[in-house]
Amino acid sequence: MSEEPRTSDREVRVLAFAGSPRRGGNTDMLLAATLEGAEVAGARIERYDLGELSIAPCRHCGGCAAGQGVCVVRDDMATLYEPLRAAERIIIASPIFFMSVTAQAKAMIDRCQPLWVLRNRGLPVATGRAPRAGLFLSVAGSALAHAFDAAGVTLTSWYWTLEIFERRELTFGGIDVAGAIREHPTALDDARRAGRELATWRAGE
Ligand SMILES: Cc1cc2nc3c(=O)[nH]c(=O)nc-3n(C[C@H](O)[C@H](O)[C@H](O)COP(=O)(O)O)c2cc1C
């Protein structure tokens, strides 16, 4: 007799990072709408506000490379390695600061170096159900066509490290003052849909 899996076994685990230091700002609103969509679709959400956490920049001390791919720095980043390895969906929301992600987001990304060490040694990084998918939510004050390019290159490297091969993004230029995203005709609906689609995505679709 096969046992019906418990609800928690079927839930898609979504890890979300809020990378703006401006609480309640544009990327926060996009993230909230995205998570609303994912939750309605049955996902289990874990959200971290990077500006509220104490995450030091990587020191390039070599500790993770000398050992077993474990960071020697003891701060809030220690709590993020398990969800970073196990979540099936990872969302990062960051506005564009000087053409890239915020320092808060970049510090977390750089502290994924222990995972890069594992990946570079051919060891598994992802521990949850495969395949994984990533979503980048962003806004830029300017409407420059290349405003999101540098952040995208950084994320390519991060996703490779995390064994994420399905990547999505939802970005809006010309959004500067806090709350301007609310005036956009489709952004928050787009975000709700992106969250729902991320949660329900299956490989090969
Ligand atoms: C330090 C700093 C750097 C910024 N750099 C850029 C930039 O390079 N290009 C751009 O288009 N907007 C830039 N902006 C504008 C933000 O991307 C914009 O205000 C955005 O709406 C902030 O999103 P948030 O409300 O989620 O924090 C910058 C803002 C700050 C505070």
Side-chain angles (χ1 to χ4, degrees):
M1 190 175 71
S2 69
E3 241 182 63
E4 181 70 12
R6 292 190 311 274
T7 307
S8 60
D9 291 336
R10 289 196 307 258
E11 279 175 342
V12 171
R13 187 173 171 187
V14 176
L15 172 63
F17 294 111
S20 173
R22 188 155 73 173
R23 296 296 305 272
N26 297 309
T27 48
D28 257 16
M29 288 180 189
L30 277 178
L31 182 59
T34 303
L35 295 182
E36 201 183 300
E39 207 160 19
V40 166
R44 177 157 57 99
I45 312 292
E46 290 163 62
R47 177 192 159 133
Y48 293 90
D49 286 83
L50 295 173
E52 307 287 309
L53 301 181
S54 172
I55 300 178
C58 174
R59 303 175 189 162
H60 202 172
C61 66
C64 59
Q68 302 300 312
V70 175
C71 187
V72 299
V73 179
R74 291 277 143 245
D75 61 13
D76 290 341
M77 188 66 199
T79 63
L80 299 184
Y81 291 115
E82 188 279 332
L84 275 163
R85 297 184 70 174
E88 297 154 86
R89 308 285 186 266
I90 298 184
I91 303 174
I92 182 158
S94 169
I96 296 301
F97 276 15
F98 282 87
M99 304 311 283
S100 191
V101 294
T102 61
Q104 288 81 357
K106 189 61 162 54
M108 182 276 291
I109 289 171
D110 287 357
R111 291 286 299 284
C112 288
Q113 180 68 1
L115 305 181
W116 184 91
V117 165
L118 297 178
R119 186 94 165 87
N120 200 42
R121 289 177 184 166
L123 297 169
V125 169
T127 57
R129 282 178 297 192
R132 313 222 280 170
L135 171 65
F136 176 46
L137 301 172
S138 189
V139 301
S142 75
L144 291 170
H146 60 280
F148 304 98
D149 288 2
V153 174
T154 295
L155 293 187
T156 298
S157 173
W158 189 54
Y159 287 146
W160 178 85
T161 300
L162 297 176
E163 296 182 303
I164 289 175
F165 303 112
E166 170 73 13
R167 61 182 290 176
R168 293 158 181 224
E169 61 175 44
L170 192 58
T171 61
F172 299 92
I175 303 289
D176 205 7
V177 298
I181 199 71
R182 268 196 306 249
E183 313 305 322
H184 188 283
T186 63
L188 297 180
D189 284 341
D190 293 347
R192 271 185 282 274
R193 187 171 55 250
R196 195 174 61 241
E197 288 176 359
L198 190 74
T200 56
W201 170 75
R202 298 290 176 269
E205 285 173 5

